[in-house]
Amino acid sequence: MNVLILGSGGREHAFAWKISQSSLCKKLLIAPGNAGTSKIGENINISLNDFNGIKEICIKEKIEMLIVGPEDPLVNGITDFFKDDEKLKHITVIGPSKKGAQLEGSKEFSKKFMSKYNIPTAKYKSFTKDTLKDGYIFLESLNPPYVLKADGLAAGKGVLIIDDIEESKIILEDMLINRRFGNASNTVIIEEYLSGIELSVFVLTDGVSYKILPCAKDYKRIGEGDTGLNTGGMGAISPVPFVDRFFIEKVENEIIKPTIKGLRKENIDYKGFIFIGLMVENGNPKVIEYNVRMGDPETEVVIPRIKSDLLNLFNGIKNGSFSEIDFNISEKYATTVMLVSGGYPEKYIKGEKISGLDKINDSTIFHSGTLKINNNLITNGGRVLAITSTGNSIQESLEKSFNNAEKIKFKGKYYRKDIGFDLI
Ligand code: AMP
Ligand code: GLY
């Protein structure tokens, strides 16, 4: 089978790494990819939202399966674009329809969906510029801190958590009236603050049945001890020690089943991943958000724990045999530590030379932001390399990742040295 993966991060490198091991894979293309993916497949330099350009490649390369990494093309309707095109409709797209992608693309849509299908989540109300005053009244009815969310995609910056009531009113006004996040904040969700431990649960579905993938914990803040600015993710661990069979059963019954049922009831065509961001307090899970893709860097620990052939599972989605395919997960722990450019998540420099990859042993390196120029490997993003290791304990696995993190050199290199410590 000829496969095209869309995206350029560690997540897509991990997909490519896994799919390249499948006997079903004949040709593997990644668009645009990075220096890591270029070693296992062919990179195609094209923008993720250039649907016509992607169409041309799919026709030329006789692509049979398209795997969409990031949310943007999904929210922009790439799945519908393929389904509605005579020359593309035979291609299976792993990623939901535009309507399904609203689960991530519109917080209001996802909150309404959750309340309609009785899926546990924080209490909320949504407001527009015409109901700003009602927003103030709702804020006053809540206890601090106050959670304000732009309805639409805002490059991961649309969620604000504010301690002070007066400041939260000013920010609400800034979002609705001054359009702080452009169209994304035409509607703002105000919701109850949830405390507890965050956990990422992943599901792969053909729209009817589903497989629960390994769960993971992500480390979002830049600084050790979970301090400083939010990033895309500085590391991840899978499995998460407090997650046992009983807890997963609870998540399955209270969240996963009603989600799949809700998608069907809404007539939403959903073939792909559902990433459920949970807050867990006293063993009770509540949904913070849905994403319609895999997480990054969570994928870099989830994929290495999947023993089954991922492309065979995708093929099952294509030919209707998905529910019958065995799904096996390794018992081992997987950890990933992200090396980032100095300054990230604020301003940082690209183009620094990377060395030391030849000295790595016992870890798998997934490239996040790298580029190869004249045989030199250089940094090409805030997040640069994810160092994934496996072991019989979190400690054993982390030790390998941290050892190898030291061996890789580039100017400004930074990583968190406390990934996973809260779980040991
Ligand atoms: P989201 O984009 O909805 O995942 O929000 C980004 C981050 O904000 C989450 O990963 C949480 O850490 C935090 N967050 C979002 N909603 C809440 C909430 N209701 N209570 C507490 N923290 C939240
Ligand atoms: N690591 C969080 C995300 O992918 O959204």
Side-chain angles (χ1 to χ4, degrees):
M1 192 184 317
N2 294 346
V3 180
L4 172 61
I5 300 174
L6 286 188
S8 63
R11 167 182 51 210
E12 288 76 21
H13 189 185
F15 279 147
W17 173 82
K18 181 74 178 162
I19 285 169
S20 69
Q21 296 166 31
S22 168
S23 57
L24 295 174
C25 181
K26 211 163 90 195
K27 188 191 269 179
L28 179 59
L29 305 182
I30 309 96
N34 59 39
T37 60
S38 73
K39 284 209 220 156
I40 40 181
E42 187 188 335
N43 283 354
I44 306 282
N45 191 11
I46 196 156
S47 134
L48 295 177
N49 287 310
D50 178 2
F51 293 177
N52 282 312
I54 294 168
K55 171 178 171 174
E56 268 177 43
I57 287 163
C58 286
I59 294 170
K60 180 167 161 257
E61 302 287 348
K62 300 192 170 59
I63 296 296
E64 294 156 275
M65 171 104 36
L66 177 74
I67 299 154
V68 186
E71 66 279 13
D72 229 43
L74 294 169
V75 173
N76 291 334
I78 193 162
T79 305
D80 311 70
F81 177 87
F82 270 62
K83 209 171 146 186
D84 296 342
D85 189 295
E86 276 306 316
K87 291 189 171 142
L88 300 177
K89 64 182 187 194
H90 66 284
I91 299 174
T92 304
V93 181
I94 302 299
S97 61
K98 188 170 184 168
K99 193 172 173 202
Q102 289 293 295
L103 277 186
E104 177 165 1
S106 165
K107 301 234 186 246
E108 192 183 30
F109 177 92
S110 80
K111 293 299 274 190
K112 277 192 180 147
F113 178 88
M114 286 186 263
S115 51
K116 186 165 175 188
Y117 295 100
N118 274 321
I119 295 164
T121 185
K123 267 194 322 209
Y124 84 104
K125 276 192 174 156
S126 55
F127 303 92
T128 62
K129 66 180 186 345
D130 300 326
T131 54
L132 175 66
K133 296 257 153 54
D134 300 328
Y136 294 160
I137 294 167
F138 186 62
L139 279 169
E140 275 163 7
S141 76
L142 298 172
N143 293 320
Y146 307 94
V147 183
L148 275 62
K149 299 186 171 183
D151 172 52
L153 291 183
K157 296 188 165 63
V159 176
L160 295 155
I161 299 178
I162 304 143
D163 289 318
D164 183 71
I165 178 85
E166 292 312 319
E167 193 190 342
S168 62
K169 287 181 185 170
I170 292 168
I171 289 180
L172 179 64
E173 183 180 335
D174 195 35
M175 289 170 91
L176 290 174
I177 310 291
N178 304 333
R179 303 166 44 80
R180 180 175 179 142
F181 298 106
N183 285 341
S185 64
N186 284 347
T187 298
V188 172
I189 311 298
I190 301 177
E191 69 177 31
E192 164 199 21
Y193 180 82
L194 301 174
S195 45
I197 306 177
E198 279 189 71
L199 175 72
S200 306
V201 170
F202 302 97
V203 176
L204 178 62
T205 181
D206 60 358
V208 181
S209 64
Y210 57 85
K211 313 268 185 217
I212 303 175
L213 274 47
C215 63
K217 186 169 191 289
D218 174 24
Y219 292 78
K220 286 207 171 80
R221 303 292 198 93
I222 188 72
E224 282 164 22
D226 290 329
T227 53
L229 293 173
N230 259 326
T231 69
M234 296 295 291
I237 307 280
S238 176
V240 182
F242 75 84
V243 176
D244 58 20
R245 191 162 57 82
F246 301 104
F247 179 78
I248 283 294
E249 242 169 52
K250 189 171 183 132
V251 173
E252 183 172 12
N253 289 327
E254 292 178 9
I255 295 167
I256 298 173
K257 281 184 180 162
T259 299
I260 303 289
K261 203 165 138 197
L263 290 170
R264 289 186 69 186
K265 280 234 163 105
E266 298 295 316
N267 263 323
I268 290 176
D269 180 20
Y270 204 116
K271 295 181 175 65
F273 295 98
I274 312 176
F275 163 175
I276 308 171
L278 295 179
M279 186 69 86
V280 186
E281 191 176 33
N282 301 324
N284 291 314
K286 285 188 179 170
V287 178
I288 297 182
E289 62 164 353
Y290 287 110
N291 295 305
V292 296
R293 52 173 173 86
M294 284 297 289
D296 193 349
E298 291 95 327
T299 306
E300 290 94 301
V301 291
V302 169
I303 292 284
R305 292 192 57 227
I306 297 178
K307 292 206 244 174
S308 310
D309 179 336
L310 188 62
L311 191 54
N312 188 41
L313 283 160
F314 291 160
N315 198 38
I317 291 179
K318 183 186 181 105
N319 66 24
S321 65
F322 178 69
S323 65
E324 295 143 33
I325 301 177
D326 274 347
F327 182 61
N328 297 307
I329 296 172
S330 156
E331 298 285 316
K332 288 208 166 181
Y333 282 89
T335 62
T336 199
V337 172
M338 191 63 86
L339 306 185
V340 306
S341 301
Y344 172 78
E346 296 186 283
K347 238 177 86 183
Y348 58 85
I349 291 171
K350 289 185 188 177
E352 299 292 357
K353 202 172 155 190
I354 305 169
S355 64
L357 282 181
D358 50 332
K359 300 192 177 66
I360 300 302
N361 45 28
D362 257 1
S363 293
T364 305
I365 308 290
F366 294 118
H367 292 228
S368 283
T370 62
L371 193 64
K372 198 152 199 182
I373 293 187
N374 302 331
N375 251 346
N376 280 330
L377 184 66
I378 60 169
T379 65
N380 191 39
R383 296 192 292 174
V384 179
L385 297 163
I387 307 181
T388 295
S389 315
T390 56
N392 293 318
S393 66
I394 294 183
Q395 290 95 320
E396 185 193 329
S397 173
L398 274 175
E399 205 176 297
K400 296 176 189 170
S401 289
F402 286 133
N403 275 339
N404 285 318
E406 274 307 301
K407 293 182 195 164
I408 296 173
K409 311 272 184 218
F410 58 86
K411 204 169 155 197
K413 178 188 85 178
Y414 169 78
Y415 63 96
R416 268 182 68 170
K417 298 189 174 66
D418 67 341
I419 301 298
F421 282 20
D422 56 326
L423 301 178
I424 295 175

